[in-house]
Amino acid sequence: MNARMDGRGSGKSVYLHIGAPTAETAFLHRALWDNRRRLADAGVCYPVTAPQEHFAAVMDLREMSWGGRREPGWDGAWARMAERAREWDGPTVVFSQGLLGGATEQQVKRAVAALEPAEVHVVFATRDLGWQLILDWQEQLRHAHTITFERFVDDLVARGIDAPEPYGEMFWGLHDPVRVLGVWESAVPKERVHVLTLPAPDGGQSPLWDRFRALIGVDAGACDVGGIPADEPLSAIEAELLRRLNERIGPALGADYERTVREHLVGHGLTAGTDTTGRPRMGLPARHAEWAANRTRQIADALRGAGYDVRGDLGELTAARDPGPGMLPGDVSDESIATASVGVAAHLLGELTAARERIGLAHLRSEMAGVQDNLRRLLEAAAAPPPALQRAARRATGRRNP
């Protein structure tokens, strides 16, 4: 019986990338999905059959709902993914989902058991805590939240994981590598726990992909990630404008919120709206800069002492004491918000006009197709005269029906 039939595989390794969610995870998902066939040629299975199936699998494993909803298609999604991983007859399987970092000890053990007898590895990417606070707040904005940045950070610093829901659990439960990896160590030995360090985001591609693909044994030229945009932070003006918009559009859009914001605002309308205002980089509140630097050092020391495999340099986490001088969203002037709002409105109106033109062209093509169909029928009718005309022609020629 071959490896694909008995599900064992010879020395197969499964790499579970479990976070942190805002440490280039969206980029990694796109890279894996776009290169899934190239990865397969290199002996690496990405056991996902649709772009968002990784999310469904983790919702199933963690028995979670999202936005108050639970889709029927999530049921059994983790088992289906795990079955594909077991059936793969190559040496390596990779799976990535930032919400895996929040799994409980029981869920972790269930996840690993579903992938056995393969050797399961855990991968966690992280960067300076100050940047993680900024990026996670911006991610909350993408899900219709309206909390101010200053309140968000104040609560997380003062109350830790007990900060108001969902922020305490969503930040400390997913972004603290010491907490997250401590839970995963209940099922995976520390020599199979890998930490990927990342520098501060600078608008270009971070070293995440190179460190990840080297870890899983993929050559530099095997995949193409050149056209995949980096996960670039929002500027202070973009973020504050989105926060204020959320107060109005969140309730109005409902379930369409995330799709609409992703397709029309983030990276699109907000960027166009700040063409004239500039895009000042966000910073931490000054009162928390020293705390963030100290906590980051504590995390780096704990990771170093844990004996995990580190790809990169833990010094990258502490090289900058904080994200550096930047603007707080609360300091963005009303004038800047008004100017950016006009730019966003102009951009969206331009998109609306272009969409109407596309719809008009589609309607015209539909009408033309109908005209062509009618012409075809007329031509067929002309080629085959109607029965009354045929009978008249037969009478005129003295012919009779048989």
Side-chain angles (χ1 to χ4, degrees):
M1 181 180 292
N2 63 29
R4 183 175 292 277
M5 293 298 292
D6 67 16
R8 285 196 293 270
S10 176
K12 179 161 54 181
S13 296
V14 177
Y15 291 85
L16 297 178
H17 171 247
I18 64 170
T22 56
E24 303 288 334
T25 297
F27 170 86
L28 188 58
H29 290 167
R30 178 74 181 274
L32 292 172
W33 176 256
D34 288 359
N35 287 279
R36 60 195 183 280
R37 293 184 178 85
R38 294 185 180 96
L39 287 168
D41 291 340
V44 178
C45 171
Y46 181 48
V48 172
T49 60
Q52 292 300 313
E53 192 182 16
H54 58 84
F55 179 76
V58 175
M59 291 295 99
D60 178 44
L61 174 71
R62 295 189 57 192
E63 301 175 327
M64 290 177 64
S65 60
W66 194 257
R69 304 187 309 276
R70 181 170 176 83
E71 302 295 334
W74 295 350
D75 294 338
W78 182 267
R80 291 190 292 273
M81 182 281 297
E83 182 178 10
R84 295 182 204 119
R86 291 193 304 270
E87 290 181 345
W88 177 248
D89 57 7
T92 307
V93 177
V94 297
F95 181 83
S96 172
Q97 225 303 317
L99 295 177
L100 269 177
T104 65
E105 186 172 312
Q106 182 181 16
Q107 292 164 351
V108 163
K109 291 178 178 178
R110 189 161 68 244
V112 172
L115 296 164
E116 289 176 341
E119 188 176 85
V120 177
H121 295 245
V122 171
V123 185
F124 190 90
T126 188
R127 57 160 56 98
D128 169 84
L129 187 64
W131 270 113
Q132 292 297 84
L133 286 164
I134 290 172
L135 294 169
D136 189 58
W137 177 70
Q138 293 188 359
E139 184 63 21
Q140 299 298 337
L141 297 184
R142 291 178 172 90
H143 298 285
H145 290 285
T146 60
I147 188 171
T148 65
F149 179 59
E150 291 83 347
R151 176 64 183 274
F152 176 80
V153 178
D154 285 348
D155 286 345
L156 289 173
V157 171
R159 302 176 64 179
I161 201 165
D162 295 321
E165 294 183 356
Y167 310 115
E169 284 285 349
M170 290 295 285
F171 185 78
W172 291 114
L174 294 173
H175 291 83
D176 181 354
V178 178
R179 176 188 294 272
V180 170
L181 296 177
V183 174
W184 279 86
E185 263 195 70
S186 66
V188 178
K190 63 176 56 182
E191 59 268 21
R192 286 195 245 135
V193 175
H194 312 276
V195 176
L196 310 184
T197 64
L198 300 180
D202 60 3
Q205 279 192 5
S206 78
L208 172 67
W209 175 252
D210 281 337
R211 291 170 184 175
F212 183 78
R213 60 100 191 143
L215 172 64
I216 65 175
V218 173
D219 292 337
C223 297
D224 180 11
V225 298
I228 302 174
D231 296 343
E232 187 173 355
L234 297 173
S235 70
I237 297 175
E238 290 171 305
E240 178 60 13
L241 177 55
L242 179 58
R243 189 194 70 80
R244 296 193 194 186
L245 283 171
N246 283 349
E247 295 175 344
R248 304 292 292 272
I249 65 175
L253 293 176
D256 288 331
Y257 173 88
E258 292 182 20
R259 178 188 60 80
T260 301
V261 167
R262 183 179 63 251
E263 293 180 2
H264 300 291
L265 284 178
V266 176
H268 304 283
L270 292 176
T271 301
T274 52
D275 279 343
T276 57
T277 64
R279 301 183 181 91
R281 189 172 70 167
M282 276 186 60
L284 280 181
R287 60 187 177 275
H288 296 313
E290 187 66 28
W291 173 89
N294 289 335
R295 186 63 181 269
T296 300
R297 281 194 293 269
Q298 293 170 8
I299 289 172
D301 290 344
L303 293 175
R304 189 177 292 111
Y308 301 140
D309 171 46
V310 176
R311 301 299 174 109
D313 185 349
L314 290 171
E316 282 182 308
L317 307 185
T318 57
R321 290 175 59 81
D322 58 67
M327 177 180 285
L328 292 176
D331 292 337
V332 175
S333 68
D334 289 342
E335 181 181 358
S336 294
I337 292 293
T339 301
S341 298
V342 171
V344 170
H347 172 80
L348 294 178
L349 286 171
E351 280 200 342
L352 178 61
T353 300
R356 290 182 63 182
E357 290 176 352
R358 289 193 298 271
I359 292 171
L361 286 172
H363 181 65
L364 179 60
R365 292 192 187 99
S366 177
E367 288 189 340
M368 289 298 296
V371 170
Q372 289 176 334
D373 189 50
N374 288 335
L375 285 173
R376 178 182 57 78
R377 292 180 181 178
L378 286 171
L379 290 172
E380 290 175 350
L389 185 57
Q390 291 178 0
R391 287 195 296 271
R394 283 195 291 270
R395 284 195 297 271
T397 57
R399 296 172 57 191
R400 296 289 186 269
N401 287 330

